[in-house]
Amino acid sequence: MKEITASAPAKCILTGEHSVVYGKPALVVALDLRAYVKATFNDKNKIIIEAKQFQKKTILPLKFSGDMRIIDEVIKPIYFAVLETFNMFNTTRGLTISINSNIPPSAGLGSSAAVSVATVKAVSEILGHSLKKEQISEIAFKSERIVHGNPSGIDNTIVAQGGGLIYEKGKFEKLKIPKDMNIIIGDTLKRRNTGVLVEKVRENYVKYTEVFENILEAMGKITLEARKHLEENKIPELGELMNINQGLLKALGVSNTEIENLIDATLKNGALGAKLTGAGGGGCIVALANKDKIESIMESINTSGGRAYLTKITCLGVKVE
Ligand code: PMV
């Protein structure tokens, strides 16, 4: 029986989360953790979604009933990615979608976008269409909007493209990425909801608009400066800018004790810079370091209640396996 497996990478925002929602530029890279999505036809005229790590099998209709409550949160982005791909080609087919991801979910690494983008790729390919990365990203964005409210579009764009990007208001520019750059990720293991945190920033923005305008503006400037240092492989300077960015994220109200503890641990053990990555409120931190410090930094994350991952930037965006 015909089957297609597609995959897409995790993402890590190095500078500019939250301010990107307000139209400022952000610096984002794709990481070598991946989500895999297998699509096969079924003769049940249903969309069957199997997500092994959540031990879930969900059977859903080929057309959305209009009742969001019947669909589990984890399954929503996958289901709507399938439906949006059907919409694109004005067709429906019974499909079984199996998810296998090694990206920690709800942790700021774009797991939902990676699964959505890989789903669009797998479904479009099995239906006999080869879409461009931009088109895949656009379809996944539609499904992300249904699920997450008002995302900036940075997640679906980077996981479709791979590599490193400056992303601003729906547009992106590809960056020259230094070879062999190590990126340490520390998962606080505290799960959180991006929409809730974006809304929290929005409420504070409405209350203190002028103050927040200045903070968001400064975050945009940090990104432009950080870009130069990344492309010139000046990692200590990039690290310093990440520390400044973290101070501003704290000012926005999206850091917390779990995040600060992991950041402190990495800096005490020689990290060149560390900050939360993604929406904050838990999820992951990102730290940069010279090679000789990596082991002790990772150990410090693991002994401070987190889980450390050593990653590299991948140029492989969405693809068929
Ligand atoms: O935590 P994540 O992976 O959902 O990333 C959110 C990034 C934000 O800038 C906070 C929101 C967005 O849509 O850009």
Side-chain angles (χ1 to χ4, degrees):
M1 194 181 233
K2 189 173 173 188
E3 65 172 53
I4 298 277
T5 299
S7 74
K11 70 105 210 295
C12 172
I13 298 179
L14 292 177
T15 61
E17 49 274 274
H18 287 290
S19 45
V20 70
V21 176
Y22 295 80
K24 311 293 180 213
L27 180 57
V28 63
V29 293
L31 299 181
D32 57 1
L33 301 166
R34 296 187 83 81
Y36 298 85
V37 175
K38 184 172 85 181
T40 43
F41 290 123
N42 68 48
D43 53 13
K44 304 208 164 43
N45 263 343
K46 297 279 181 201
I47 298 168
I48 303 174
I49 299 172
E50 301 168 338
K52 285 201 183 75
Q53 37 274 89
F54 308 113
Q55 293 166 339
K56 277 197 168 85
K57 179 171 173 171
T58 309
I59 302 175
L60 291 159
L62 295 180
K63 284 209 166 94
F64 178 42
S65 69
D67 187 358
M68 274 287 190
R69 288 167 308 177
I70 59 164
I71 314 168
D72 184 280
E73 286 301 319
V74 177
I75 300 301
K76 263 184 204 166
I78 307 160
Y79 183 50
F80 287 105
V82 176
L83 295 187
E84 288 297 340
T85 314
F86 284 167
N87 264 349
M88 171 85 189
F89 302 115
N90 217 359
T91 186
T92 56
R93 277 292 293 269
L95 280 180
T96 300
I97 306 291
S98 309
I99 313 294
N100 191 1
S101 172
N102 48 39
I103 308 171
S106 306
L109 298 184
S111 128
S112 142
V115 168
S116 299
V117 162
T119 299
V120 174
K121 178 75 174 167
V123 173
S124 53
E125 290 284 336
I126 204 163
L127 293 174
H129 303 276
S130 191
L131 294 172
K132 292 201 177 92
K133 285 178 178 166
E134 280 84 353
Q135 292 174 298
I136 294 170
S137 171
E138 215 171 288
I139 298 170
F141 187 47
K142 284 187 189 160
S143 86
E144 291 271 295
R145 281 173 99 146
I146 297 169
V147 181
H148 295 305
N150 191 24
S152 64
I154 191 171
D155 283 18
N156 47 286
T157 304
I158 184 66
V159 307
Q161 296 292 334
L165 308 175
I166 287 281
Y167 179 88
E168 186 176 355
K169 292 185 198 151
K171 298 207 162 53
F172 66 87
E173 206 183 317
K174 288 210 160 193
L175 301 179
K176 197 179 88 201
I177 297 295
K179 273 206 179 82
D180 279 340
M181 181 177 160
N182 289 301
I183 297 192
I184 303 166
I185 297 292
D187 188 351
T188 62
L189 303 177
K190 182 170 180 178
R191 300 293 169 243
R192 79 296 171 284
N193 182 302
T194 300
V196 171
L197 286 142
V198 169
E199 190 46 38
K200 183 178 173 191
V201 174
R202 171 84 53 201
E203 279 165 18
N204 284 337
Y205 175 85
V206 170
K207 208 163 159 190
Y208 304 112
T209 307
E210 230 170 281
V211 176
F212 267 52
E213 282 287 1
N214 284 303
I215 298 175
L216 299 168
E217 188 67 32
M219 287 173 148
K221 297 256 158 58
I222 288 172
T223 291
L224 298 182
E225 188 83 20
R227 174 215 176 132
K228 278 194 298 193
H229 295 307
L230 177 69
E231 290 200 296
E232 288 167 15
N233 202 7
K234 291 186 180 153
I235 306 305
E237 285 81 0
L238 178 57
E240 268 170 9
L241 288 162
M242 284 166 54
N243 289 336
I244 300 170
N245 196 168
Q246 171 60 21
L248 297 178
L249 285 162
K250 201 173 169 185
L252 291 188
V254 294
S255 195
N256 64 8
T257 318
E258 288 87 348
I259 291 170
E260 297 294 330
N261 281 346
L262 291 196
I263 289 175
D264 280 357
T266 63
L267 293 175
K268 275 188 194 130
N269 282 277
L272 298 165
K275 61 181 270 295
L276 68 83
T277 186
C284 290
I285 66 142
V286 51
L288 300 181
N290 289 330
K291 278 205 172 63
D292 58 329
K293 303 281 185 201
I294 288 174
E295 212 171 297
S296 59
I297 290 173
M298 294 197 43
E299 202 181 309
S300 77
I301 291 171
N302 290 330
T303 53
S304 305
R307 182 175 300 146
Y309 296 81
L310 183 59
T311 65
K312 285 205 188 299
I313 300 172
T314 177
C315 60
L316 295 176
V318 64
K319 68 183 192 76
V320 169
E321 289 296 308

